[in-house]
Amino acid sequence: MLTPVDPHAVYAALDAGCGNGTRTAALRRRLAPHALVTAVDLDRDAVRAAGSFTGVDAARADISRLPHPGGSFDLVVAGHVLYYPSELTPWLREIRRVMSRSGMLLAATNSARSGRRLLDLHAHACRSAGQEAMAARALAPTARHRFTLENGADQLRRVFADVTVRWRDDPLVFDSVAQALAVYRAGLFARGAPARISPADRERLADVLAPHMRACLTAAADAHGRIVIPRRSGCFTARG
């Protein structure tokens, strides 16, 4: 994600929406020792995790109201967080405010079609099991569709003058139907299920859908028995 960045040209960086701190730690390792690294998140546990890394200042803060003076950062990293607000522009304006005149925003996200093949197989399994409403809910857009590789550039250009994008394809490959089915039963089977479902009903739903998903996966497997799920992720660079 930090490929476009010269680590020696960054004196202060902000991880906006630091999550569990994994990205913050990677940022700290990548930048020069003299760089100041700051992390913010609304979640107290996330702030605590990010702050546990040496050389990182972490604080609880809302990205729409950052507690930093204007022009504080040469680099702002927003990794898979810009889909959270229903209206993104206030976040972007605040990020732009705390960036230096020559600063850069790196905003990571996925393609709206990333992993879609697996979701379509799940929806087909739902329909095969007579769960038409669940299939429709499973395919409905989610909050993650608010900021994707397809629509992110237009949103960033409302605030930033120079926006570019890089992406990479990293397919998810299951070596067998059994492997794919185990991942499916670990959670995807519940996509589109009623919001309030008891643990017992959830387990029964997995049992009902599993044979149908197995048939779908078997039909989707290649000559070697593998199931390949296309995935695309990327990063926007925004300046000015």
Side-chain angles (χ1 to χ4, degrees):
M1 181 172 161
L2 292 178
T3 302
V5 176
D6 176 359
H8 297 287
V10 176
Y11 293 90
L14 172 67
D15 185 0
C18 61
N20 62 12
T22 301
R23 184 179 56 252
T24 313
L27 181 63
R28 175 66 281 173
R29 290 192 299 269
R30 175 69 188 275
L31 297 181
H34 65 250
L36 301 174
V37 177
T38 301
V40 298
D41 202 290
L42 272 178
D43 186 274
R44 286 187 172 84
D45 291 337
V47 170
R48 191 177 300 113
S52 68
F53 298 106
T54 302
V56 174
D57 295 323
R60 186 172 182 268
D62 188 331
I63 295 176
S64 67
R65 296 185 300 276
L66 292 169
H68 307 96
S72 295
F73 301 103
D74 308 298
L75 173 66
V76 177
V77 176
H80 299 275
V81 297
L82 294 186
Y83 60 81
Y84 278 112
S86 56
E87 175 50 56
L88 180 58
T89 300
W91 276 32
L92 296 180
R93 287 176 176 158
E94 185 67 352
I95 288 171
R96 181 66 191 89
R97 181 187 68 79
V98 301
M99 285 169 52
S100 65
R101 292 185 64 182
S102 60
M104 175 193 299
L105 166 66
L106 291 183
T109 189
N110 295 323
S111 166
R113 295 184 291 273
S114 187
R116 177 68 188 219
R117 187 184 190 194
L118 190 59
L119 185 59
D120 285 341
L121 290 172
H122 165 58
H124 185 79
C126 289
R127 288 190 290 266
S128 180
Q131 300 283 345
E132 294 286 346
M134 184 173 170
R137 290 194 298 268
L139 294 176
T142 68
R144 290 181 181 271
H145 289 82
R146 293 174 183 161
F147 187 83
T148 66
L149 289 177
E150 290 77 19
N151 64 26
D154 288 342
Q155 297 182 71
L156 290 168
R157 289 190 180 108
R158 297 173 190 168
V159 175
F160 297 93
D162 181 10
V163 177
T164 59
V165 62
R166 301 182 181 204
W167 68 81
R168 68 174 184 176
D169 291 323
D170 182 24
L172 177 63
V173 180
F174 297 108
D175 293 328
S176 66
V177 168
Q179 184 186 47
L181 192 62
V183 172
Y184 177 71
R185 288 203 61 144
L188 180 60
F189 76 90
R191 178 76 174 265
R196 296 176 181 175
I197 183 171
S198 69
D201 286 342
R202 182 184 170 91
E203 188 61 28
R204 279 192 287 270
L205 178 62
D207 291 338
V208 167
L209 291 176
H212 298 279
M213 187 61 170
R214 183 184 293 110
C216 293
L217 291 167
T218 300
D222 64 15
H224 303 286
R226 299 176 304 182
I227 296 96
V228 179
I229 308 299
R231 294 188 302 180
R232 175 171 290 179
S233 60
C235 181
F236 289 100
T237 302
R239 302 175 184 268

